[in-house]
Amino acid sequence: MRNLLSEFDEYLRLDERCTFETVKRFRSIARQFATYLSGMMTSSNEKLVSATTSDVLAFLRQAAETKQGAFSAHKWNQKLTAVRALFRYLVREKLCPENPTAELHRVTAICRERIPLSLAEFVALIRAMHTAAEPYRSRNIALAQIGFHCGLRVSELSRLNLDHLDRTHRLIVNLEAKGGKFLVVPFP
């Protein structure tokens, strides 16, 4: 089994050209799947090679559950993508006759809207920043002010630099946002 996962790593790196982080994540999910199957079958090779679509579905349902018992579309899609890659590898190596994930579909994840800080939360944040030492205090307060008044996400604030500021028109321009979009936002 260990050898099979190592070979799967090689397949991901060389054939699929996955990043180190993706290989690590997919291997972890492949291990979770093999562990899930271990109670159902006897030999280690039989675990993965004999898995059915029903086995994969049962694993995905269990793995996509949050700690609160809710369904997570993100977890489902991530686990499905990893298990699909594993079965592509097994079919390619002729270790598995068919891919049981072929008919399974990704779940549409509901995008959460921006939830801005309330005024009370913002004031508490600024008060907490006042306890920091200079020069970071001024920088942090300025970033918090811009983020709050312009409705920027933390990821957008982290990308913000002086090139994005149009001081003449008081705009933040060409700031990359979520989904590969670019923002033009007035700033206070």
Side-chain angles (χ1 to χ4, degrees), residues 108-114 153 178:
T108 303
I110 298 169
C111 295
R112 295 187 322 204
E113 294 180 26
R114 292 179 189 220
R153 292 182 172 95
K178 190 174 182 179

Side-chain angles (χ1 to χ4, degrees), residues 39-138:
M40 303 160 94
M41 298 167 201
T42 54
S43 83
S44 60
N45 287 336
E46 186 182 340
K47 290 176 192 175
L48 292 174
V49 176
S50 301
T52 64
T53 303
S54 304
D55 297 332
V56 176
L57 274 173
F59 167 73
L60 290 173
R61 285 187 189 112
Q62 177 187 348
E65 199 171 285
T66 64
K67 291 178 182 174
Q68 293 79 24
F71 175 78
S72 168
H74 171 74
K75 283 184 170 187
W76 172 281
N77 292 336
Q78 186 179 55
K79 309 284 185 199
L80 176 60
T81 303
V83 173
R84 271 189 184 154
L86 175 64
F87 279 105
R88 271 197 314 270
Y89 165 72
L90 293 173
V91 168
R92 188 190 86 169
E93 295 297 313
K94 297 182 179 32
L95 298 170
C96 187
E98 61 184 35
N99 187 341
T101 65
E103 299 300 317
L104 299 179
H105 301 287
R106 294 174 57 86
V107 176
T108 303
I110 298 169
C111 295
R112 295 187 322 204
E113 294 180 26
R114 292 179 189 220
I115 302 173
L117 293 176
S118 68
L119 185 57
E121 292 169 328
F122 177 66
V123 169
L125 177 65
I126 296 297
R127 282 190 181 136
M129 289 179 175
H130 275 291
T131 62
E134 283 296 341
Y136 300 113
R137 177 181 358 169
S138 299

